Amino acid sequence: MRKQIAAANWKMNLTYQKAEVLLKEFLSQPQNLSDNKLVVLAVPSPYLTMAVDKIAGEKHMYIAAQNVYSKKSGAYTGEVSVEMLQSIGVTYAIVGHSECREYFNEDNALLADKVKICLEHNIVPIFCCGEALPVREANGQNEYVTGQLQDSLFDLSEDQIKKVVIAYEPIWAIGTGKTASSLQAQEMHAHIRSQLTTKYGADVADSITILYGGSVKGANAKDIFGQPDVDGGLVGGASLNAEEFKQIVQGLK
Ligand code: 13P
């Protein structure tokens, strides 16, 4: 069975002190995790080391960066490299979040480079894709997401793509309280898997974890994650509350 993942994306929230409290609260109870049921916490860059230290000894829990740069090192002020992440024990990185695409003009070609450099350094990229509301209203979401996959992922080899986690995050559902219905999520996840099947074959496609993101809450996680092609979620707002995020983790199948 492919990995099921509850991933938190704290975005640009919390002070260091509040982040420590949140982690402590979250870690205060065992989560029923297993080799196939993981928790990944994407915390702000200045808290990565603290978070790696805090989860040391916890099984099936990993720390992610919220972004990473496409170059190995050099004069790129303000950016964070895969080598830096690797050197402090970070094992996942979000790549291509819609907020980075929108506010920092990250395009599909840049994201292809980011995915590649992550894979070269054993960082698992959580590659985000998803359409804006006008695209959905014009029923163009399948083509749109196919384009994102083709441009950023489909140059990867079979061995490489197997290591990528994909997160479908419809932009109209992010931070809006408007969740995609479980049927809408399932339809898009099945579409993504069918594209992967066409390109890489059914065995590879079946092994790839596809997360849903966009207003996931404790109350809707089980329903959404219960869909056959939904393998967990990438959670923003609701991951800032330890109890709520625990409930989301419990929703993994
Ligand atoms: P919300 O869960 O706040 O809608 O955010 C989703 C998201 O962008 C996760 O990366």
Side-chain angles (χ1 to χ4, degrees):
M1 194 191 172
R2 55 183 171 257
K3 288 187 172 37
Q4 307 291 301
I5 301 177
N9 177 8
W10 289 358
K11 306 192 181 183
M12 197 178 74
N13 291 298
L14 306 168
T15 59
Y16 185 90
Q17 291 74 14
K18 286 182 178 160
E20 274 191 310
V21 171
L22 177 57
L23 264 178
K24 197 170 161 207
E25 282 173 4
F26 179 68
L27 297 174
S28 66
Q29 271 170 17
Q31 302 291 321
N32 237 348
L33 301 173
S34 67
D35 284 350
N36 275 324
K37 244 189 226 189
L38 313 179
V39 163
V40 176
L41 305 171
V43 310
S45 296
Y47 314 158
L48 284 168
T49 304
M50 177 272 282
V52 168
D53 287 350
K54 281 255 190 306
I55 65 146
E58 299 283 342
K59 277 198 161 162
H60 316 299
M61 243 184 240
Y62 301 90
I63 298 301
Q66 294 177 12
N67 204 347
V68 64
Y69 199 50
S70 55
K71 307 281 186 198
K72 207 170 163 194
S73 63
Y76 303 102
T77 301
E79 296 298 330
V80 171
S81 75
V82 282
E83 272 188 352
M84 292 174 187
L85 297 179
Q86 213 181 14
S87 70
I88 58 168
V90 170
T91 45
Y92 285 73
I94 297 175
V95 171
H97 193 282
S98 60
E99 287 147 18
C100 302
R101 292 174 185 261
E102 182 181 349
Y103 305 134
F104 308 118
N105 302 316
E106 295 196 352
D107 62 19
N108 291 344
L110 173 73
L111 300 176
D113 290 343
K114 290 190 175 194
V115 167
K116 274 199 200 107
I117 202 159
C118 281
L119 293 170
E120 282 161 16
H121 290 81
N122 287 325
I123 303 278
V124 178
I126 302 177
F127 176 78
C128 300
C129 56
E131 79 288 353
L133 189 57
V135 176
R136 168 69 59 168
E137 283 173 346
N139 201 27
Q141 65 274 11
N142 285 3
E143 265 178 26
Y144 186 84
V145 170
T146 300
Q148 291 179 316
L149 300 175
Q150 278 173 346
D151 291 354
S152 298
L153 297 185
F154 283 7
D155 271 350
L156 298 176
S157 69
E158 207 176 288
D159 279 348
Q160 287 175 315
I161 190 93
K162 281 200 247 176
K163 295 179 185 136
V164 175
V165 170
I166 296 175
Y168 169 59
E169 299 207 307
I171 296 169
W172 46 271
I174 295 178
T176 57
K178 198 172 160 187
T179 321
S181 68
S182 44
L183 180 66
Q184 282 173 319
Q186 169 55 25
E187 278 173 356
M188 177 55 84
H189 284 228
H191 170 72
I192 292 171
R193 211 175 297 285
S194 80
Q195 295 302 306
L196 292 166
T197 304
T198 306
K199 174 77 187 163
Y200 294 100
D203 284 354
V204 173
D206 283 345
S207 73
I208 294 177
T209 298
I210 308 178
L211 309 179
Y212 167 79
S215 298
V216 173
K217 307 255 179 298
N220 60 22
K222 204 174 170 63
D223 181 34
I224 299 173
F225 300 170
Q227 300 302 308
D229 285 294
V230 180
D231 307 314
L234 181 55
V235 186
S239 72
L240 298 171
N241 179 304
E243 288 310 315
E244 180 102 22
F245 190 57
K246 280 182 207 174
Q247 212 184 327
I248 290 169
V249 174
Q250 295 314 311
L252 288 174
K253 60 178 175 268

